[in-house]
Amino acid sequence: MPALRPYHRDLSYSYAPGFFPCMEALKKRPDSVSRVLVHSKAESSDILPELLALCRERSIRVETADRALARISQKDNVFAAAVFAKQEHPLQKDSNHLVLYHPGDKGNLGTILRTALGFQFLNMAVILPAADLHDPQVVRASMGALFSMRVQSFTCFEDYHAAYPEHALYPFMLQASIPLDEAAANAVSPFALIMGNEGAGLPAEYLTLGQPVRIPHNPAIDSLNLAVAASIGMYAFSKKHNI
Amino acid sequence: MPALRPYHRDLSYSYAPGFFPCMEALKKRPDSVSRVLVHSKAESSDILPELLALCRERSIRVETADRALARISQKDNVFAAAVFAKQEHPLQKDSNHLVLYHPGDKGNLGTILRTALGFQFLNMAVILPAADLHDPQVVRASMGALFSMRVQSFTCFEDYHAAYPEHALYPFMLQASIPLDEAAANAVSPFALIMGNEGAGLPAEYLTLGQPVRIPHNPAIDSLNLAVAASIGMYAFSKKHNI
């Protein structure tokens, strides 16, 4: 077995730190997990027997690796981590999509993955450049939701649109004219909700794309936080694909 | 002038780090600002002239204080900070309230403050113990929204309820029976949306309080992130007090 390296974007594998994300990897994407690291202090954990049973069932190697865990987690309190191969999954053509354009913040990415799973948006496109979706910090913030999602990256929006030309497009923009409720009430599946970057939003030309949507809010704030805006958008549109 | 200390919860003052939060403090709560710290490298900033003009207008002392800023911000890139007196503001009896029960995460608090201002929930109660609302990290994450809000702390929920007995109560709980849309459609102002702690939510006995609300989501996730749940709740109920 090759030695495990501290996480870096260029590695072909990543780490799912924490018991819960680790269990999600084992349950939802067992084929991607090459081994599981456990801390020597994890013995007292209630969840450990379940974790070990899952690994046994799937013939996944378990190692006690205190130092590797400390290196990976950059915190002291991670007692388990799954080592998993990074994968991309082509999106389902008939499902509704969430499209993130140049998302820059790892915490936002994790929160958005968790909410997307909650509102049954199981297909997510990421338009590059973007924060690293497989970063252990994102996996952890997502509570392992990453392993239940199909995620595909594109070098530009045009490539996404060419691959999924049937989707009705809903770019979320401060300058858009259609209020969220109205857009959501009239939406016909399959559709794609498109969210811009944290600082810059979507480029102005997206105003001519599909049906631009606005989340009505008090002008006292410049904009909503990206994870908040994406969550409200998915909540409103989720009524179209019964949860 | 006494020397400025690194931030601590027990201090009677705090810091609003960053140009934008600093400007918000000067515009919305000038009486609370005792001085403004500016970095020697801030001269190149476009916003500096406006900041200095505001300080002059309100006779607020400006100091070049590179080392104090570095100490306060724990980051290198904070070029301005307002020193402000911590204040609490009794809530408005006729306005709708957001009530946070034992919120534990500073990032969530900041995001919730920003969203609350965006959805015109200008009155927020915090039930202690709670993360420190005046922590510079919260002020920064709120983008200075704190200075547009009335926030009041209570040692227990009963004290809040005794002070504002007229508010219809909507505790947000995973086990609640009324879906969010239905609750929001039928709400009559003034009302209070009550959100539990990140890990534990609200205690089970809140199920007998007012009209418990559920945000429908896929059982594949345990719960939504607190800032996400609070934001979706405020969005849905904000239609009752036109933005």
Side-chain angles (χ1 to χ4, degrees):
Chain A
M1 283 255 164
L4 293 170
R5 297 167 59 186
Y7 182 71
H8 185 278
R9 192 166 186 150
D10 293 338
L11 289 176
S12 62
Y13 57 88
S14 180
Y15 304 99
F19 272 113
F20 197 84
C22 186
M23 295 288 283
E24 287 298 296
L26 287 168
K27 287 178 188 168
K28 306 291 166 48
R29 295 265 160 81
D31 296 346
S32 75
V33 180
S34 57
R35 44 181 153 165
V36 166
L37 312 177
V38 173
H39 197 280
S40 56
K41 285 189 191 153
E43 278 174 33
S44 57
S45 162
D46 295 348
I47 318 169
L48 187 62
E50 196 187 341
L51 182 74
L52 297 178
L54 268 176
C55 291
R56 213 163 25 238
E57 215 172 274
R58 310 196 190 289
S59 306
I60 291 168
R61 179 188 162 102
V62 179
E63 291 169 31
T64 305
D66 296 10
R67 272 200 287 181
L69 282 168
R71 206 162 52 222
I72 291 160
S73 66
Q74 302 167 337
K75 292 187 182 176
D76 309 328
N77 55 349
V78 169
F79 283 175
V83 184
F84 68 96
K86 296 183 189 177
Q87 298 176 331
E88 294 241 327
H89 299 86
L91 307 185
Q92 293 164 307
K93 283 192 192 298
D94 297 334
S95 297
N96 300 321
H97 297 170
L98 178 68
V99 181
L100 302 181
Y101 175 91
H102 300 182
D105 183 87
K106 291 175 196 166
N108 277 342
L109 266 185
T111 303
I112 290 172
L113 282 165
R114 179 175 164 194
T115 312
L117 176 57
F119 291 137
Q120 202 88 12
F121 280 80
L122 305 179
N123 292 261
M124 188 168 107
V126 174
I127 313 300
L128 303 172
D132 179 6
L133 203 79
H134 293 102
D135 190 291
Q137 211 181 309
V138 174
V139 178
R140 198 166 198 208
S142 87
M143 309 278 272
L146 176 67
F147 303 111
S148 297
M149 301 275 299
R150 304 184 72 84
V151 180
Q152 189 177 3
S153 304
F154 296 87
T155 51
C156 62
F157 180 77
E158 290 65 32
D159 285 359
Y160 163 78
H161 190 38
Y164 305 100
E166 306 295 331
H167 279 67
L169 304 178
Y170 291 94
F172 278 64
M173 302 180 75
L174 295 169
Q175 318 88 320
S177 56
I178 311 172
L180 174 57
D181 270 11
E182 191 184 317
N186 299 318
V188 178
S189 295
F191 50 76
L193 311 186
I194 311 169
M195 305 283 162
N197 166 268
E198 284 88 352
L202 288 170
E205 62 260 31
Y206 282 65
L207 278 172
T208 61
L209 203 70
Q211 300 185 60
V213 183
R214 179 175 50 86
I215 303 177
H217 65 71
N218 191 329
I221 62 166
D222 274 356
S223 66
L224 294 162
N225 165 281
L226 173 60
V228 165
S231 299
I232 290 173
M234 290 189 281
Y235 164 74
F237 274 85
S238 70
K239 291 158 204 166
K240 286 287 166 177
H241 54 233
N242 296 320
I243 298 177
Chain B
M1 283 256 165
L4 293 170
R5 297 167 60 187
Y7 181 71
H8 184 279
R9 192 166 185 149
D10 293 338
L11 288 176
S12 63
Y13 57 86
S14 180
Y15 304 98
F19 272 113
F20 197 84
C22 187
M23 295 288 284
E24 287 298 297
L26 287 167
K27 286 179 189 168
K28 306 291 167 48
R29 295 265 159 80
D31 296 345
S32 75
V33 180
S34 57
R35 45 182 153 164
V36 166
L37 312 177
V38 172
H39 197 281
S40 56
K41 285 189 192 154
E43 276 173 35
S44 57
S45 162
D46 296 347
I47 318 169
L48 188 63
E50 195 187 339
L51 183 75
L52 296 178
L54 268 175
C55 291
R56 214 163 26 238
E57 215 173 90
R58 309 197 192 289
S59 306
I60 291 167
R61 178 188 162 101
V62 180
E63 291 169 31
T64 305
D66 297 10
R67 272 200 289 181
L69 282 169
R71 206 163 53 223
I72 291 160
S73 66
Q74 300 166 340
K75 292 186 183 179
D76 309 329
N77 56 349
V78 169
F79 283 176
V83 184
F84 68 94
K86 296 182 189 178
Q87 298 175 333
E88 294 243 329
H89 298 87
L91 307 186
Q92 293 164 307
K93 284 191 193 297
D94 296 334
S95 296
N96 300 322
H97 297 170
L98 178 68
V99 181
L100 301 182
Y101 176 91
H102 300 182
D105 182 87
K106 291 175 196 167
N108 277 342
L109 266 185
T111 303
I112 290 172
L113 282 164
R114 179 174 164 195
T115 313
L117 176 56
F119 291 137
Q120 202 86 14
F121 280 80
L122 305 179
N123 292 261
M124 188 168 106
V126 174
I127 313 300
L128 302 172
D132 179 5
L133 203 78
H134 293 102
D135 189 290
Q137 211 181 310
V138 175
V139 178
R140 196 164 201 212
S142 87
M143 310 277 271
L146 177 67
F147 303 111
S148 297
M149 301 274 300
R150 305 185 72 82
V151 180
Q152 190 178 3
S153 303
F154 297 87
T155 50
C156 63
F157 180 77
E158 291 65 31
D159 285 0
Y160 163 77
H161 190 37
Y164 304 100
E166 306 295 332
H167 279 66
L169 304 176
Y170 290 93
F172 278 63
M173 303 180 74
L174 294 168
Q175 318 88 320
S177 56
I178 311 173
L180 173 57
D181 271 10
E182 190 184 317
N186 299 318
V188 178
S189 294
F191 50 77
L193 311 186
I194 312 169
M195 305 283 162
N197 166 269
E198 284 88 352
L202 288 170
E205 62 260 31
Y206 281 65
L207 278 173
T208 61
L209 203 71
Q211 299 184 63
V213 182
R214 178 174 52 85
I215 303 176
H217 65 71
N218 190 328
I221 62 166
D222 275 356
S223 67
L224 294 162
N225 164 281
L226 173 60
V228 165
S231 299
I232 290 174
M234 289 190 281
Y235 164 73
F237 273 85
S238 70
K239 292 158 203 169
K240 286 288 167 180
H241 54 235
N242 297 320
I243 298 176

